[in-house]
């Protein structure tokens, strides 16, 4: 007895591309380059922001009189401050820190 031999169906004559896969190699390369450039810009901005934050951390300006940093106490520093000489009564003093 002979066994029937099945033959595979013939391949389609014309292969139509899938609509979701219609990008060429050049288009994929352009898209990848744009994504890489955007990521690089974001990383650079993050680096610059962190560098700026750490470089300027803790900097502030005060309006203290010159020479008051060498006073023995806060009272002595404030008594020598010319801006506070017109304060008048020494019994009622207020200090703002």
């Amino acid at each position: 007895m002979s066994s029937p031999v099945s033959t595979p169906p013939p391949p389609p004559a014309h292969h139509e591309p899938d609509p979701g896969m219609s990008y060429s190699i050049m288009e994929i390369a352009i898209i990848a380059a744009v994504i890489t450039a955007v990521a690089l810009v974001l990383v650079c901005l993050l680096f610059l922001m962190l560098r700026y934050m750490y470089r300027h951390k803790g900097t502030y300006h005060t309006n203290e009189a010159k020479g008051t940093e060498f006073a023995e106490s806060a009272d002595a520093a404030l008594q020598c401050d010319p801006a506070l000489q017109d304060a008048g009564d020494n019994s009622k003093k207020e200090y703002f820190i």
Side-chain angles (χ1 to χ4, degrees):
M1 300 208 151
S2 70
S3 65
V5 177
S6 64
T7 59
H14 185 323
H15 178 67
E16 293 183 17
D18 186 13
M21 301 292 287
S22 64
Y23 294 116
S24 69
I25 298 295
M26 188 63 160
E27 290 171 337
I28 292 173
I30 291 172
I31 292 171
V34 168
I35 291 173
T36 304
V38 169
L40 183 65
V41 167
L42 289 175
V43 167
C44 288
L45 285 175
L46 179 68
F47 173 75
L48 289 175
M49 285 178 14
L50 289 175
R51 183 176 175 211
Y52 177 80
M53 286 173 50
Y54 284 114
R55 178 173 271 192
H56 294 287
K57 184 178 181 180
T59 58
Y60 57 92
H61 301 285
T62 61
N63 295 324
E64 295 178 2
K66 300 292 181 192
T68 57
E69 65 268 9
F70 300 114
E72 294 179 10
S73 68
D75 289 333
L78 291 174
Q79 286 174 355
C80 296
D81 190 1
L84 298 175
Q85 291 298 324
D86 298 331
D89 189 16
N90 287 338
S91 63
K92 294 182 179 182
K93 294 181 183 179
E94 268 186 56
Y95 298 108
F96 295 101
I97 299 175

